[in-house]
Amino acid sequence: MGTFLTILLVIFSVGLITVVLLQKGKSAGLSGAISGGAEQLFGKQKARGLDLLLQRLTLALAVGFIVLALVVSYIFPPL
């Protein structure tokens, strides 16, 4: 069971890395870093299509990765 969870954790981590790298950048240099947070906060840029799918997939993989990491660390405590 522990080996299965560890392999699943590796699959989730590789999937998370892949999905994050597939997303396009949201900022345009320094000005994007300053105004980008406000645009996302007030909803001026709505994600559609592939961007929305990648955002949701990133969230799902991140939550799964964190949960699996906690479960694996609970099953195999550090020595």
Side-chain angles (χ1 to χ4, degrees):
M1 169 118 169
T3 305
F4 172 73
L5 289 176
T6 305
I7 291 172
L8 197 60
L9 183 63
V10 170
I11 291 171
F12 266 75
S13 63
V14 170
L16 184 61
I17 291 168
T18 304
V19 170
V20 168
L21 288 177
L22 284 175
Q23 293 179 9
K24 63 181 177 179
K26 304 253 189 255
S27 65
L30 185 58
S31 63
I34 295 171
S35 66
E39 289 177 5
Q40 223 175 17
L41 180 64
F42 297 117
K44 291 184 180 180
Q45 293 181 343
K46 300 233 182 223
R48 292 193 175 117
L50 184 61
D51 289 335
L52 181 63
L53 175 69
L54 288 175
Q55 284 180 0
R56 289 182 179 169
L57 194 57
T58 302
L59 180 64
L61 286 172
V63 169
F65 176 78
I66 291 171
V67 169
L68 276 173
L70 290 173
V71 168
V72 168
S73 68
Y74 181 74
I75 291 175
F76 301 114
L79 299 176

PDB file of all heavy atoms in Angstrom, residues 7-38:
ATOM      1  N   ILE A   7       4.036   5.875  -5.490  1.00  0.00           N
ATOM      2  CA  ILE A   7       3.981   5.977  -6.956  1.00  0.00           C
ATOM      3  C   ILE A   7       2.904   6.973  -7.372  1.00  0.00           C
ATOM      4  O   ILE A   7       3.105   7.789  -8.275  1.00  0.00           O
ATOM      5  CB  ILE A   7       3.733   4.588  -7.576  1.00  0.00           C
ATOM      6  CG1 ILE A   7       4.963   3.710  -7.377  1.00  0.00           C
ATOM      7  CG2 ILE A   7       3.379   4.695  -9.050  1.00  0.00           C
ATOM      8  CD1 ILE A   7       4.768   2.268  -7.764  1.00  0.00           C
ATOM      9  N   LEU A   8       1.767   6.955  -6.690  1.00  0.00           N
ATOM     10  CA  LEU A   8       0.694   7.903  -6.975  1.00  0.00           C
ATOM     11  C   LEU A   8       1.138   9.337  -6.683  1.00  0.00           C
ATOM     12  O   LEU A   8       0.804  10.266  -7.429  1.00  0.00           O
ATOM     13  CB  LEU A   8      -0.537   7.544  -6.149  1.00  0.00           C
ATOM     14  CG  LEU A   8      -1.859   8.139  -6.565  1.00  0.00           C
ATOM     15  CD1 LEU A   8      -2.217   7.725  -7.985  1.00  0.00           C
ATOM     16  CD2 LEU A   8      -2.954   7.701  -5.608  1.00  0.00           C
ATOM     17  N   LEU A   9       1.924   9.518  -5.628  1.00  0.00           N
ATOM     18  CA  LEU A   9       2.454  10.837  -5.294  1.00  0.00           C
ATOM     19  C   LEU A   9       3.397  11.341  -6.385  1.00  0.00           C
ATOM     20  O   LEU A   9       3.357  12.514  -6.762  1.00  0.00           O
ATOM     21  CB  LEU A   9       3.172  10.788  -3.944  1.00  0.00           C
ATOM     22  CG  LEU A   9       3.726  12.094  -3.396  1.00  0.00           C
ATOM     23  CD1 LEU A   9       2.607  13.078  -3.125  1.00  0.00           C
ATOM     24  CD2 LEU A   9       4.522  11.843  -2.140  1.00  0.00           C
ATOM     25  N   VAL A  10       4.224  10.472  -6.916  1.00  0.00           N
ATOM     26  CA  VAL A  10       5.132  10.850  -8.010  1.00  0.00           C
ATOM     27  C   VAL A  10       4.334  11.215  -9.259  1.00  0.00           C
ATOM     28  O   VAL A  10       4.645  12.204  -9.940  1.00  0.00           O
ATOM     29  CB  VAL A  10       6.139   9.712  -8.293  1.00  0.00           C
ATOM     30  CG1 VAL A  10       6.914   9.973  -9.562  1.00  0.00           C
ATOM     31  CG2 VAL A  10       7.080   9.536  -7.119  1.00  0.00           C
ATOM     32  N   ILE A  11       3.287  10.455  -9.556  1.00  0.00           N
ATOM     33  CA  ILE A  11       2.448  10.752 -10.719  1.00  0.00           C
ATOM     34  C   ILE A  11       1.768  12.107 -10.552  1.00  0.00           C
ATOM     35  O   ILE A  11       1.722  12.917 -11.489  1.00  0.00           O
ATOM     36  CB  ILE A  11       1.423   9.624 -10.940  1.00  0.00           C
ATOM     37  CG1 ILE A  11       2.127   8.364 -11.401  1.00  0.00           C
ATOM     38  CG2 ILE A  11       0.349  10.042 -11.944  1.00  0.00           C
ATOM     39  CD1 ILE A  11       1.242   7.133 -11.447  1.00  0.00           C
ATOM     40  N   PHE A  12       1.255  12.386  -9.364  1.00  0.00           N
ATOM     41  CA  PHE A  12       0.628  13.684  -9.109  1.00  0.00           C
ATOM     42  C   PHE A  12       1.638  14.821  -9.243  1.00  0.00           C
ATOM     43  O   PHE A  12       1.319  15.880  -9.786  1.00  0.00           O
ATOM     44  CB  PHE A  12       0.004  13.710  -7.712  1.00  0.00           C
ATOM     45  CG  PHE A  12      -1.447  13.341  -7.696  1.00  0.00           C
ATOM     46  CD1 PHE A  12      -1.846  12.031  -7.843  1.00  0.00           C
ATOM     47  CD2 PHE A  12      -2.421  14.298  -7.516  1.00  0.00           C
ATOM     48  CE1 PHE A  12      -3.171  11.675  -7.830  1.00  0.00           C
ATOM     49  CE2 PHE A  12      -3.763  13.964  -7.502  1.00  0.00           C
ATOM     50  CZ  PHE A  12      -4.145  12.648  -7.657  1.00  0.00           C
ATOM     51  N   SER A  13       2.848  14.617  -8.746  1.00  0.00           N
ATOM     52  CA  SER A  13       3.848  15.685  -8.814  1.00  0.00           C
ATOM     53  C   SER A  13       4.275  15.966 -10.251  1.00  0.00           C
ATOM     54  O   SER A  13       4.396  17.121 -10.659  1.00  0.00           O
ATOM     55  CB  SER A  13       5.056  15.361  -7.941  1.00  0.00           C
ATOM     56  OG  SER A  13       5.701  14.205  -8.418  1.00  0.00           O
ATOM     57  N   VAL A  14       4.477  14.923 -11.053  1.00  0.00           N
ATOM     58  CA  VAL A  14       4.836  15.115 -12.462  1.00  0.00           C
ATOM     59  C   VAL A  14       3.676  15.764 -13.218  1.00  0.00           C
ATOM     60  O   VAL A  14       3.878  16.671 -14.039  1.00  0.00           O
ATOM     61  CB  VAL A  14       5.246  13.762 -13.101  1.00  0.00           C
ATOM     62  CG1 VAL A  14       5.380  13.890 -14.606  1.00  0.00           C
ATOM     63  CG2 VAL A  14       6.547  13.276 -12.495  1.00  0.00           C
ATOM     64  N   GLY A  15       2.457  15.355 -12.918  1.00  0.00           N
ATOM     65  CA  GLY A  15       1.294  15.969 -13.544  1.00  0.00           C
ATOM     66  C   GLY A  15       1.152  17.431 -13.182  1.00  0.00           C
ATOM     67  O   GLY A  15       0.833  18.269 -14.036  1.00  0.00           O
ATOM     68  N   LEU A  16       1.398  17.766 -11.927  1.00  0.00           N
ATOM     69  CA  LEU A  16       1.319  19.157 -11.482  1.00  0.00           C
ATOM     70  C   LEU A  16       2.371  20.017 -12.165  1.00  0.00           C
ATOM     71  O   LEU A  16       2.084  21.126 -12.620  1.00  0.00           O
ATOM     72  CB  LEU A  16       1.460  19.221  -9.960  1.00  0.00           C
ATOM     73  CG  LEU A  16       1.302  20.577  -9.303  1.00  0.00           C
ATOM     74  CD1 LEU A  16      -0.081  21.143  -9.575  1.00  0.00           C
ATOM     75  CD2 LEU A  16       1.530  20.461  -7.807  1.00  0.00           C
ATOM     76  N   ILE A  17       3.578  19.517 -12.264  1.00  0.00           N
ATOM     77  CA  ILE A  17       4.648  20.249 -12.949  1.00  0.00           C
ATOM     78  C   ILE A  17       4.283  20.466 -14.409  1.00  0.00           C
ATOM     79  O   ILE A  17       4.437  21.570 -14.952  1.00  0.00           O
ATOM     80  CB  ILE A  17       5.985  19.492 -12.818  1.00  0.00           C
ATOM     81  CG1 ILE A  17       6.482  19.538 -11.384  1.00  0.00           C
ATOM     82  CG2 ILE A  17       7.030  20.069 -13.763  1.00  0.00           C
ATOM     83  CD1 ILE A  17       7.628  18.596 -11.096  1.00  0.00           C
ATOM     84  N   THR A  18       3.758  19.442 -15.063  1.00  0.00           N
ATOM     85  CA  THR A  18       3.395  19.545 -16.475  1.00  0.00           C
ATOM     86  C   THR A  18       2.283  20.564 -16.700  1.00  0.00           C
ATOM     87  O   THR A  18       2.361  21.396 -17.602  1.00  0.00           O
ATOM     88  CB  THR A  18       2.946  18.166 -17.004  1.00  0.00           C
ATOM     89  OG1 THR A  18       3.988  17.223 -16.769  1.00  0.00           O
ATOM     90  CG2 THR A  18       2.621  18.215 -18.473  1.00  0.00           C
ATOM     91  N   VAL A  19       1.252  20.524 -15.858  1.00  0.00           N
ATOM     92  CA  VAL A  19       0.124  21.440 -16.032  1.00  0.00           C
ATOM     93  C   VAL A  19       0.547  22.879 -15.778  1.00  0.00           C
ATOM     94  O   VAL A  19       0.129  23.794 -16.487  1.00  0.00           O
ATOM     95  CB  VAL A  19      -1.043  21.018 -15.112  1.00  0.00           C
ATOM     96  CG1 VAL A  19      -2.131  22.065 -15.078  1.00  0.00           C
ATOM     97  CG2 VAL A  19      -1.616  19.706 -15.568  1.00  0.00           C
ATOM     98  N   VAL A  20       1.394  23.105 -14.792  1.00  0.00           N
ATOM     99  CA  VAL A  20       1.863  24.464 -14.514  1.00  0.00           C
ATOM    100  C   VAL A  20       2.704  24.990 -15.673  1.00  0.00           C
ATOM    101  O   VAL A  20       2.576  26.148 -16.073  1.00  0.00           O
ATOM    102  CB  VAL A  20       2.657  24.502 -13.187  1.00  0.00           C
ATOM    103  CG1 VAL A  20       3.394  25.815 -13.034  1.00  0.00           C
ATOM    104  CG2 VAL A  20       1.710  24.294 -12.013  1.00  0.00           C
ATOM    105  N   LEU A  21       3.535  24.135 -16.251  1.00  0.00           N
ATOM    106  CA  LEU A  21       4.363  24.584 -17.379  1.00  0.00           C
ATOM    107  C   LEU A  21       3.548  24.814 -18.649  1.00  0.00           C
ATOM    108  O   LEU A  21       3.958  25.588 -19.510  1.00  0.00           O
ATOM    109  CB  LEU A  21       5.474  23.566 -17.647  1.00  0.00           C
ATOM    110  CG  LEU A  21       6.586  23.526 -16.602  1.00  0.00           C
ATOM    111  CD1 LEU A  21       7.580  22.427 -16.936  1.00  0.00           C
ATOM    112  CD2 LEU A  21       7.289  24.865 -16.509  1.00  0.00           C
ATOM    113  N   LEU A  22       2.400  24.167 -18.778  1.00  0.00           N
ATOM    114  CA  LEU A  22       1.550  24.374 -19.954  1.00  0.00           C
ATOM    115  C   LEU A  22       0.803  25.705 -19.918  1.00  0.00           C
ATOM    116  O   LEU A  22       0.370  26.191 -20.947  1.00  0.00           O
ATOM    117  CB  LEU A  22       0.537  23.233 -20.082  1.00  0.00           C
ATOM    118  CG  LEU A  22       1.069  21.921 -20.610  1.00  0.00           C
ATOM    119  CD1 LEU A  22      -0.025  20.860 -20.555  1.00  0.00           C
ATOM    120  CD2 LEU A  22       1.570  22.066 -22.031  1.00  0.00           C
ATOM    121  N   GLN A  23       0.650  26.286 -18.732  1.00  0.00           N
ATOM    122  CA  GLN A  23      -0.083  27.540 -18.630  1.00  0.00           C
ATOM    123  C   GLN A  23       0.758  28.690 -19.158  1.00  0.00           C
ATOM    124  O   GLN A  23       1.975  28.704 -19.001  1.00  0.00           O
ATOM    125  CB  GLN A  23      -0.462  27.814 -17.186  1.00  0.00           C
ATOM    126  CG  GLN A  23      -1.452  26.836 -16.648  1.00  0.00           C
ATOM    127  CD  GLN A  23      -1.804  27.098 -15.205  1.00  0.00           C
ATOM    128  OE1 GLN A  23      -1.427  28.120 -14.641  1.00  0.00           O
ATOM    129  NE2 GLN A  23      -2.507  26.173 -14.606  1.00  0.00           N
ATOM    130  N   LYS A  24       0.074  29.662 -19.762  1.00  0.00           N
ATOM    131  CA  LYS A  24       0.809  30.820 -20.247  1.00  0.00           C
ATOM    132  C   LYS A  24       0.960  31.836 -19.125  1.00  0.00           C
ATOM    133  O   LYS A  24       0.179  31.864 -18.181  1.00  0.00           O
ATOM    134  CB  LYS A  24       0.124  31.440 -21.452  1.00  0.00           C
ATOM    135  CG  LYS A  24      -1.246  31.978 -21.211  1.00  0.00           C
ATOM    136  CD  LYS A  24      -1.804  32.539 -22.498  1.00  0.00           C
ATOM    137  CE  LYS A  24      -3.228  33.029 -22.273  1.00  0.00           C
ATOM    138  NZ  LYS A  24      -3.787  33.598 -23.480  1.00  0.00           N
ATOM    139  N   GLY A  25       1.983  32.684 -19.256  1.00  0.00           N
ATOM    140  CA  GLY A  25       2.274  33.670 -18.227  1.00  0.00           C
ATOM    141  C   GLY A  25       1.178  34.698 -18.107  1.00  0.00           C
ATOM    142  O   GLY A  25       0.543  35.083 -19.081  1.00  0.00           O
ATOM    143  N   LYS A  26       0.947  35.183 -16.912  1.00  0.00           N
ATOM    144  CA  LYS A  26      -0.117  36.141 -16.668  1.00  0.00           C
ATOM    145  C   LYS A  26       0.402  37.569 -16.513  1.00  0.00           C
ATOM    146  O   LYS A  26      -0.370  38.505 -16.479  1.00  0.00           O
ATOM    147  CB  LYS A  26      -0.867  35.754 -15.396  1.00  0.00           C
ATOM    148  CG  LYS A  26      -1.415  34.364 -15.417  1.00  0.00           C
ATOM    149  CD  LYS A  26      -2.891  34.388 -15.581  1.00  0.00           C
ATOM    150  CE  LYS A  26      -3.452  33.024 -15.382  1.00  0.00           C
ATOM    151  NZ  LYS A  26      -3.857  32.344 -16.558  1.00  0.00           N
ATOM    152  N   SER A  27       1.698  37.755 -16.383  1.00  0.00           N
ATOM    153  CA  SER A  27       2.218  39.096 -16.146  1.00  0.00           C
ATOM    154  C   SER A  27       3.022  39.578 -17.337  1.00  0.00           C
ATOM    155  O   SER A  27       3.465  38.811 -18.174  1.00  0.00           O
ATOM    156  CB  SER A  27       3.097  39.111 -14.896  1.00  0.00           C
ATOM    157  OG  SER A  27       4.241  38.322 -15.120  1.00  0.00           O
ATOM    158  N   ALA A  28       3.186  40.882 -17.395  1.00  0.00           N
ATOM    159  CA  ALA A  28       3.955  41.502 -18.464  1.00  0.00           C
ATOM    160  C   ALA A  28       5.072  42.339 -17.845  1.00  0.00           C
ATOM    161  O   ALA A  28       5.071  43.555 -17.906  1.00  0.00           O
ATOM    162  CB  ALA A  28       3.053  42.362 -19.342  1.00  0.00           C
ATOM    163  N   GLY A  29       5.996  41.664 -17.190  1.00  0.00           N
ATOM    164  CA  GLY A  29       7.107  42.379 -16.570  1.00  0.00           C
ATOM    165  C   GLY A  29       6.711  43.004 -15.244  1.00  0.00           C
ATOM    166  O   GLY A  29       5.840  42.516 -14.536  1.00  0.00           O
ATOM    167  N   LEU A  30       7.331  44.126 -14.917  1.00  0.00           N
ATOM    168  CA  LEU A  30       7.099  44.790 -13.641  1.00  0.00           C
ATOM    169  C   LEU A  30       5.697  45.375 -13.565  1.00  0.00           C
ATOM    170  O   LEU A  30       5.041  45.314 -12.534  1.00  0.00           O
ATOM    171  CB  LEU A  30       8.147  45.881 -13.418  1.00  0.00           C
ATOM    172  CG  LEU A  30       8.110  46.599 -12.075  1.00  0.00           C
ATOM    173  CD1 LEU A  30       8.278  45.581 -10.951  1.00  0.00           C
ATOM    174  CD2 LEU A  30       9.199  47.633 -12.010  1.00  0.00           C
ATOM    175  N   SER A  31       5.203  45.941 -14.652  1.00  0.00           N
ATOM    176  CA  SER A  31       3.860  46.519 -14.631  1.00  0.00           C
ATOM    177  C   SER A  31       2.798  45.441 -14.441  1.00  0.00           C
ATOM    178  O   SER A  31       1.773  45.666 -13.816  1.00  0.00           O
ATOM    179  CB  SER A  31       3.584  47.291 -15.916  1.00  0.00           C
ATOM    180  OG  SER A  31       3.604  46.422 -17.023  1.00  0.00           O
ATOM    181  N   GLY A  32       3.031  44.262 -14.976  1.00  0.00           N
ATOM    182  CA  GLY A  32       2.105  43.152 -14.781  1.00  0.00           C
ATOM    183  C   GLY A  32       2.112  42.659 -13.348  1.00  0.00           C
ATOM    184  O   GLY A  32       1.093  42.208 -12.833  1.00  0.00           O
ATOM    185  N   ALA A  33       3.263  42.751 -12.699  1.00  0.00           N
ATOM    186  CA  ALA A  33       3.352  42.313 -11.302  1.00  0.00           C
ATOM    187  C   ALA A  33       2.593  43.260 -10.395  1.00  0.00           C
ATOM    188  O   ALA A  33       2.014  42.844  -9.391  1.00  0.00           O
ATOM    189  CB  ALA A  33       4.810  42.225 -10.877  1.00  0.00           C
ATOM    190  N   ILE A  34       2.577  44.543 -10.745  1.00  0.00           N
ATOM    191  CA  ILE A  34       1.887  45.527  -9.914  1.00  0.00           C
ATOM    192  C   ILE A  34       0.384  45.489 -10.154  1.00  0.00           C
ATOM    193  O   ILE A  34      -0.409  45.447  -9.230  1.00  0.00           O
ATOM    194  CB  ILE A  34       2.447  46.941 -10.184  1.00  0.00           C
ATOM    195  CG1 ILE A  34       3.902  46.994  -9.730  1.00  0.00           C
ATOM    196  CG2 ILE A  34       1.622  47.997  -9.467  1.00  0.00           C
ATOM    197  CD1 ILE A  34       4.622  48.244 -10.139  1.00  0.00           C
ATOM    198  N   SER A  35      -0.029  45.489 -11.415  1.00  0.00           N
ATOM    199  CA  SER A  35      -1.460  45.557 -11.711  1.00  0.00           C
ATOM    200  C   SER A  35      -2.092  44.188 -11.899  1.00  0.00           C
ATOM    201  O   SER A  35      -3.314  44.085 -11.939  1.00  0.00           O
ATOM    202  CB  SER A  35      -1.694  46.392 -12.968  1.00  0.00           C
ATOM    203  OG  SER A  35      -1.140  45.725 -14.090  1.00  0.00           O
ATOM    204  N   GLY A  36      -1.306  43.148 -12.038  1.00  0.00           N
ATOM    205  CA  GLY A  36      -1.855  41.820 -12.293  1.00  0.00           C
ATOM    206  C   GLY A  36      -2.704  41.293 -11.165  1.00  0.00           C
ATOM    207  O   GLY A  36      -3.730  40.655 -11.387  1.00  0.00           O
ATOM    208  N   GLY A  37      -2.302  41.551  -9.933  1.00  0.00           N
ATOM    209  CA  GLY A  37      -3.081  41.088  -8.793  1.00  0.00           C
ATOM    210  C   GLY A  37      -4.422  41.771  -8.699  1.00  0.00           C
ATOM    211  O   GLY A  37      -5.436  41.153  -8.384  1.00  0.00           O
ATOM    212  N   ALA A  38      -4.455  43.063  -9.005  1.00  0.00           N
ATOM    213  CA  ALA A  38      -5.719  43.796  -8.956  1.00  0.00           C
ATOM    214  C   ALA A  38      -6.669  43.318 -10.052  1.00  0.00           C
ATOM    215  O   ALA A  38      -7.878  43.208  -9.832  1.00  0.00           O
ATOM    216  CB  ALA A  38      -5.451  45.293  -9.104  1.00  0.00           C
TER     217      ALA A  38
END
